Amino acid sequence: MSAITADPSARTTPRGPSRVLQPPLNVALGLVLAWHVAAALAFGWIAWNIFGAIWQLDSIPRTAIGIAATVGIIANVAAAALLARGSRRARMTSFTVNYLTLILLIVLLFQSLTLADFLDDFAAAFNAAFLPFIGMAVAVAWLVLARRIAARLADGERSDVPGALGATVVGMRWIGLVAIAVFSLIWLWMLEPLQLLSLLADSYSGTPALNTAYVLAIGILLWCAVTMWAQRTAVRFNTPADKLESQAGWLFLSPNLIGFLLFFAGPLVFSLVISFYAWDGITSPTFVGLGNYIDTLGLTVAGSANELPSGYEDILGAPFGVIGASDPLFWQSISNIMVFLLLAVPLAVIPALVLAVLIQTGYRGTKTFRTIFFVPAVAGVIGVTLIWKQMLNSTVGFVNWFIGWVNGVINIFVPGDPMPVPVEIGWLSDPSVALFAVVLVFGWSQFGFNTVLFTAGMQGIPKELHEAAMLDGAGSWRRFFSITLPSLRATTFFVVASTVILALQLFDIVYALNQPNPVGFPDNATLTPVVYLYQLGFQQDAFGQASAVAWILFILIFSLTLLQFRRQRRYAEET
Amino acid sequence: MAANSTRVHRTWRSWVAQLSTYAILLIAGIIVLVPFVLAFFGSFKTAEDFFTYPPRLLPNVASTATVDGEDLPLFTVPLPEGGTAVLGRIENGTSLREFIGVDDPTLVIVAPRESAEPTGEVVVIDGKDKDVYAAIVDGEEVLVFDNKSRIGGTYIDPSDPNAPPVFAVSSAVQPVEQVEFQTGNYGKVLGLEGFGRSLTNTVLVTILVVVGQVFTSILGGYAFSRLRFRGRDRIFLLYLGSIMIPFVVLLIPLYRLMIAIGWGNTLTSLVVPFVFTAYGTFLMRQFFVSIPRELEEAAVIDGASRWTILWRIFFPLSIPAVATLSTFSFLYAWNSFVWPLIIIDSGNTDGSVLALTLSVLGGRAADTPNLVLAGVVLAMLAPIAVFLLAQRYFVENVASSGLKG
């Protein structure tokens, strides 16, 4: 990587139009220093207004802005001081301070211009201009097709391409290009960009002074950051190549990392914290310690239902009396999901294993089936569930009709009490079978995915094993049980664990099957932990307790994942 | 494996094995495809067509015949003189009587009261007095008694409308139907409030999420694979760990965050949090690691910046990985349901996405399953098409990366 700094003179002289933006380095560094002083003063002014209580704000934004302003003062003063001393660290300190301030200001400008709402306005325009957009997409597909044909024709072996064919392909490309141009123009025109711009201008003029300040500061910060990043600055500050590399690493990672912290790590920590509070989302949270967890998990044993402490309901009879729970619905959801796991996981895994073996027989065309089996996993849970909802209709659904038809066939061959025809099982309304309907839909949509995982696992089995066994006269059954199955141990464990983890988060299927009935319909027979969490958090506004349920579920899932990891590692060590 | 088939003798056993392999795969394939086929044909049915038993595959509509400018629904009607005929119904709900032969209880005539002559006599059947009538059957007069009242229909022959009408109870007639595809269902569902809008919203959100994910993942993957910096491996481990954390845990805090910064109920909340993905970064990193360093060395010597190297050298080489990641994020964004369900207000039809609109439609329109299925087919077209186009990359990658993740 040292090659980059090997020839410093190559980039030190600015070219043509960028001369204005690239003044002599000493001048540029002086300007950056001036900016840091100005920024420190600006942050100081904000801090003055906050801590002097000149701006009347709520406590949370007040604290946040106060901290940000203080950090801003310290960081900018430090950068200015380092820069004034000509320290080696000045370059990166100044760059980091300016880069982070830049991102902060972009976010603030985004909020100030209410760009979040602007996307909805844009979506309306996008909707109005959808047809030319489709035209553009078709034209692009056309062009790709033309390119592929051209690439095929150019493929050496076909030197006898008739001129007419070549001309047709060239024509196709031109048609594609013209179509893209035309449709893009129509699209742009139909989007009414002026309308959209005027919307932006409206939100800009809401707080014009503030927005102008943001825009100006963003421009300056951008210039300062680029100046400090530039190679000539790196040369001036003698930044070694490995430092340059690690700075580039952080810069490349930064968009991803900032998003990760803001939308993943931050909320995760918040979720854990809030699970120790009682919070309705409106009034301020009250700390309850482990209260939410105890309220959710609480179990107790008593001689009879009457002897249970207050707040406990009996959920299960036992030889010694009854078991009471402080949250019977939670335990109902756990018992439902356990039954679901027992039924759905075998349904999603065992057929997958069998089918994977059949696909790997290598007969002609079996790979096509792998693609077909995969389709339910990509088609979208809601759509798939709605199809099944129609098929599971108790009176006119295909499932009951099919069962009735099978019963009719049985009645022909088996004497005795005839099986009922037609069958009217209330798959969606009868509490005793409602969970089976969910099992059916889940198993159907998951086994194809698992088949693919199994086939991948089988590709890792050395062929020699099978060949040697065949020479020893082992039949295909023998080979399946003695070679395939043991070699697939790790894969099987992975498939089972990932299916269990997916099944534990069951929500979409249940929700779509039950609409418009309340979740958990009928009679809480399909109440799963996530459905319960949804009920708590988004229908009863019990955010603290819902977070506790989320973490209990998370711990359950995480321990399974850990188990899987340890199994895999042990397996890897064995082999 | 192809070697097997040449080595193994083509005994009957191998034929049976091959045949049963195909049979089982075919049955499984049918089980997978049947719901899709049913949905496809169902989307062309009329709503009434769903409420017949037994359910049928093809969309049927009642046949009609035009008599005096009026469309009469056609039925197969049993004739009093035996046999059946296809007749048009001119009246439904005609009040009829059921006459039974006094001497011959197997003779049952269903007709209006006026069609038989009262004789004034009475017979006692099962302890009840029944009026006796004289009816004409095959030109002979037969004594019948009035058993009970029935409701039925009046049917005429469309080719001979002036011939005497035929009466029959509804359970005795079969509607005559023909296969007809209601292509208008698709227009209807697109015209439903919010459906067209949620379709274009989904397209927009999906495009933004895919582009954003690919962009941040390439940058992050490049940093993790090619640039050494302190803490890199620890952060990477953190990313890996985060893949295992179920989204459920984030539902509540992310929802509160969106509300707090004023993004609730906007499409932005469906895009921005999902632009940053640990999984995509991991995928791109794994791919970049496998690219030999020699390929970039020439560019490094030419003094190209890392940015240029990334986009001019790495990006074109990683098209398979980008295709996989794009397919993943496309399917994820297009089909995502739980998050839109909680963040988009149920009344906001302009800000909805397909999965959400479908679930609302599926819950509300129990009487129009045809429109629900048309909506389902429309929503499934794009993901299935993308999957089929990209499956060459996709299926293999699910297999390999799934095992690593």
Side-chain angles (χ1 to χ4, degrees):
Chain A
M1 286 298 157
S2 59
I4 288 176
T5 47
D7 185 16
S9 63
R11 293 288 174 94
T12 43
T13 30
R15 290 151 299 173
S18 57
R19 202 177 294 261
V20 183
L21 287 173
Q22 270 184 290
L25 191 53
N26 283 333
V27 178
L29 292 179
L31 288 173
V32 174
L33 176 62
W35 163 255
H36 279 300
V37 174
L41 288 175
F43 278 118
W45 177 72
I46 293 170
W48 173 261
N49 281 299
I50 287 289
F51 295 119
I54 294 166
W55 293 343
Q56 300 296 320
L57 291 171
D58 291 341
S59 74
I60 293 177
R62 219 183 98 113
T63 319
I65 298 175
I67 293 173
T70 315
V71 172
I73 297 168
I74 297 169
N76 277 294
V77 166
L82 287 172
L83 212 52
R85 272 176 38 206
S87 157
R88 276 182 127 193
R89 287 202 198 138
R91 173 174 167 267
M92 213 46 213
T93 311
S94 163
F95 177 81
T96 311
V97 170
N98 283 336
Y99 181 70
L100 292 178
T101 319
L102 177 67
I103 286 171
L104 179 72
L105 286 193
I106 289 175
V107 171
L108 288 177
L109 182 66
F110 188 97
Q111 291 295 86
S112 171
L113 293 180
T114 57
L115 287 183
D117 296 335
F118 179 73
L119 184 60
D120 284 23
D121 298 323
F122 180 79
F126 185 76
N127 178 269
F130 196 61
L131 283 181
F133 181 81
I134 292 285
M136 262 161 64
V138 171
V140 169
W142 171 274
L143 203 66
V144 170
L145 189 71
R147 282 199 160 190
R148 283 223 176 142
I149 295 175
R152 278 253 174 108
L153 290 182
D155 242 6
E157 292 170 24
R158 299 186 170 214
S159 51
D160 54 335
V161 178
L165 196 55
T168 315
V169 171
V170 172
M172 262 182 87
R173 290 175 80 162
W174 274 106
I175 291 172
L177 285 173
V178 170
I180 289 176
V182 169
F183 280 122
S184 317
L185 284 176
I186 300 176
W187 185 62
L188 278 177
W189 177 71
M190 282 179 77
L191 273 181
E192 302 197 51
L194 290 178
Q195 193 85 30
L196 291 171
L197 278 178
S198 83
L199 280 173
L200 271 186
D202 279 353
S203 37
Y204 189 90
S205 55
T207 47
L210 187 64
N211 289 332
T212 310
Y214 284 151
V215 171
L216 279 178
I218 286 173
I220 297 169
L221 282 165
L222 207 58
W223 180 84
C224 288
V226 170
T227 301
M228 293 316 273
W229 187 260
Q231 205 173 349
R232 57 176 186 158
T233 322
V235 173
R236 162 71 67 90
F237 284 94
N238 279 330
T239 316
D242 63 325
K243 272 268 192 266
L244 281 179
E245 184 178 341
S246 95
Q247 287 158 9
W250 283 105
L251 185 64
F252 273 101
L253 187 60
S254 63
N256 206 314
L257 190 61
I258 290 169
F260 181 80
L261 292 175
L262 279 184
F263 298 112
F264 186 87
L268 194 68
V269 172
F270 178 72
S271 157
L272 183 62
V273 171
I274 206 67
S275 72
F276 299 112
Y277 284 82
W279 189 34
D280 59 4
I282 302 160
T283 55
S284 57
T286 31
F287 185 73
V288 292
L290 286 171
N292 287 325
Y293 291 90
I294 294 168
D295 283 348
T296 307
L297 291 171
L299 285 178
T300 186
V301 179
S304 77
N306 299 333
E307 296 167 33
L308 284 168
S310 72
Y312 283 79
E313 273 179 56
D314 85 291
I315 53 167
L316 198 66
F320 45 79
V322 294
I323 296 175
S326 57
D327 190 351
L329 279 181
F330 174 76
W331 286 104
Q332 167 92 58
S333 78
I334 291 291
S335 104
N336 285 343
I337 204 73
M338 288 304 155
V339 174
F340 177 80
L341 286 181
L342 278 179
L343 298 168
V345 174
L347 191 62
V349 172
I350 295 169
L353 178 59
V354 173
L355 293 171
V357 171
L358 296 180
I359 283 171
Q360 288 303 104
T361 52
Y363 292 132
R364 186 185 271 269
T366 47
K367 286 255 161 65
T368 318
F369 283 99
R370 196 170 64 163
T371 307
I372 293 175
F373 297 160
F374 209 91
V375 171
V378 302
V381 185
I382 299 301
V384 156
T385 308
L386 288 179
I387 297 176
W388 277 96
K389 190 179 178 182
Q390 183 59 38
M391 288 170 62
L392 290 167
N393 186 301
S394 63
T395 50
V396 293
F398 274 93
V399 173
N400 277 349
W401 168 81
F402 182 74
I403 296 172
W405 180 79
V406 172
N407 280 356
V409 173
I410 292 173
N411 286 343
I412 294 172
F413 293 105
V414 182
D417 286 344
M419 310 278 279
V421 182
V423 178
E424 289 202 7
I425 303 171
W427 291 107
L428 306 174
S429 55
D430 182 350
S432 60
V433 290
L435 200 57
F436 294 103
V438 185
V439 169
L440 194 63
V441 180
F442 180 88
W444 176 83
S445 50
Q446 281 307 313
F447 81 87
F449 192 88
N450 290 341
T451 309
V452 172
L453 293 180
F454 274 125
T455 53
M458 281 179 200
Q459 275 158 9
I461 303 176
K463 276 181 194 159
E464 295 77 33
L465 279 180
H466 276 280
E467 279 163 11
M470 258 163 62
L471 289 179
D472 290 345
S476 45
W477 284 103
R478 183 72 199 281
R479 274 181 285 133
F480 174 74
F481 283 107
S482 310
I483 299 176
T484 311
L485 215 48
S487 317
L488 279 180
R489 226 166 25 165
T491 313
T492 310
F493 197 79
F494 174 77
V495 170
V496 171
S498 61
T499 311
V500 168
I501 289 169
L502 205 66
L504 279 173
Q505 300 182 63
L506 180 70
F507 178 82
D508 309 26
I509 297 176
V510 176
Y511 187 91
L513 276 184
N514 286 344
Q515 277 272 39
N517 297 305
V519 287
F521 181 85
D523 202 14
N524 287 330
T526 59
L527 185 78
T528 68
V530 180
V531 170
Y532 185 51
L533 183 155
Y534 172 78
Q535 227 175 10
L536 281 177
F538 302 102
Q539 293 180 339
Q540 300 170 12
D541 287 341
F543 290 107
Q545 203 192 343
S547 297
V549 171
W551 275 86
I552 293 169
L553 195 63
F554 171 48
I555 291 166
L556 205 64
I557 290 172
F558 195 75
S559 42
L560 272 171
T561 317
L562 266 190
L563 199 71
Q564 176 204 334
F565 250 58
R566 291 180 57 173
R567 268 295 282 261
Q568 263 185 354
R569 188 181 300 166
R570 206 172 52 195
Y571 180 77
E573 279 163 6
E574 277 171 15
T575 47
Chain B
M1 286 286 160
N4 281 353
S5 44
T6 53
R7 199 177 304 163
V8 173
H9 297 293
R10 289 235 174 254
T11 58
W12 65 271
R13 284 188 69 153
S14 79
W15 280 110
V16 168
Q18 191 166 356
L19 212 65
S20 47
T21 300
Y22 280 127
I24 296 172
L25 286 175
L26 208 64
I27 290 171
I30 288 171
I31 291 174
V32 165
L33 289 182
V34 154
F36 293 110
V37 172
L38 292 179
F40 176 76
F41 285 115
S43 71
F44 289 105
K45 286 183 175 183
T46 61
E48 301 79 50
D49 199 10
F50 281 91
F51 301 104
T52 55
Y53 187 89
R56 289 165 305 194
L57 175 67
L58 292 175
N60 284 284
V61 290
S63 301
T64 56
T66 311
V67 175
D68 296 339
E70 220 180 319
D71 282 340
L72 302 181
L74 291 177
F75 290 85
T76 309
V77 183
L79 298 175
E81 58 266 30
T84 58
V86 173
L87 302 177
R89 188 170 71 193
I90 53 170
E91 190 188 55
N92 196 15
T94 316
S95 85
L96 303 171
R97 310 299 302 181
E98 183 182 86
F99 297 107
I100 296 180
V102 174
D103 302 321
D104 173 14
T106 59
L107 172 70
V108 178
I109 304 168
V110 177
R113 195 195 293 271
E114 311 84 76
S115 62
E117 280 298 314
T119 58
E121 287 172 44
V122 168
V123 289
V124 180
I125 305 289
D126 293 340
K128 281 179 192 158
D129 287 353
K130 303 276 186 185
D131 293 333
V132 175
Y133 288 75
I136 311 290
V137 175
D138 295 338
E140 279 178 47
E141 196 176 86
V142 182
L143 284 185
V144 292
F145 65 87
D146 180 3
N147 187 35
K148 60 180 175 183
S149 127
R150 300 292 297 268
I151 299 291
T154 311
Y155 301 86
I156 59 164
D157 187 351
S159 58
D160 184 10
N162 296 323
V166 178
F167 305 95
V169 290
S170 305
S171 59
V173 301
Q174 281 288 326
V176 177
E177 290 177 314
Q178 68 200 46
V179 172
E180 191 180 298
F181 286 75
Q182 308 293 314
T183 45
N185 284 349
Y186 284 88
K188 271 188 211 156
V189 77
L190 280 171
L192 283 181
E193 195 196 3
F195 194 92
R197 187 63 201 276
S198 56
L199 176 69
T200 59
N201 282 348
T202 309
V203 172
L204 183 64
V205 166
T206 305
I207 290 173
L208 292 176
V209 169
V210 169
V211 171
Q213 279 200 0
V214 168
F215 182 72
T216 62
S217 299
I218 285 179
L219 291 186
Y222 180 66
F224 278 134
S225 65
R226 274 303 196 268
L227 301 171
R228 274 158 304 189
F229 53 94
R230 235 181 26 187
R232 179 184 78 173
D233 296 337
R234 227 167 297 153
I235 298 178
F236 185 64
L237 218 63
L238 212 68
Y239 268 59
L240 267 187
S242 78
I243 295 175
M244 290 166 222
I245 290 174
F247 181 65
V248 175
V249 186
L250 291 179
L251 276 182
I252 286 162
L254 211 49
Y255 170 78
R256 294 309 311 184
L257 177 66
M258 293 294 123
I259 299 295
I261 59 178
W263 291 9
N265 200 16
T266 65
L267 292 178
T268 308
S269 66
L270 304 183
V271 176
V272 176
F274 301 95
V275 159
F276 313 98
T277 139
Y279 182 78
T281 312
F282 168 73
L283 202 78
M284 292 314 299
R285 185 239 177 217
Q286 296 305 83
F287 195 85
F288 286 157
V289 163
S290 70
I291 294 177
R293 277 184 188 268
E294 291 80 44
L295 286 175
E296 60 192 286
E297 262 162 18
V300 171
I301 290 163
D302 285 349
S305 70
R306 293 198 172 82
W307 182 260
T308 316
I309 292 173
L310 173 57
W311 294 105
R312 289 281 165 78
I313 295 175
F314 276 74
F315 183 70
L317 284 174
S318 50
I319 292 301
V322 171
T324 308
L325 175 59
S326 307
T327 315
F328 262 119
S329 51
F330 178 94
L331 294 173
Y332 181 82
W334 189 278
N335 293 330
S336 122
F337 172 68
V338 184
W339 180 246
L341 173 71
I342 61 173
I343 201 73
I344 302 292
D345 293 350
S346 51
N348 181 7
T349 47
D350 279 351
S352 189
V353 286
L354 269 181
L356 198 54
T357 311
L358 273 185
S359 91
V360 173
L361 187 65
R364 197 183 49 196
D367 50 344
T368 52
N370 52 343
L371 298 192
V372 175
L373 290 181
V376 166
V377 171
L378 279 178
M380 282 178 169
L381 278 181
I384 290 182
V386 165
F387 164 69
L388 291 181
L389 286 177
Q391 54 111 358
R392 169 163 67 111
Y393 303 118
F394 190 63
V395 174
E396 292 299 329
N397 234 295
V398 165
S400 56
S401 69
L403 283 177
K404 280 172 200 155

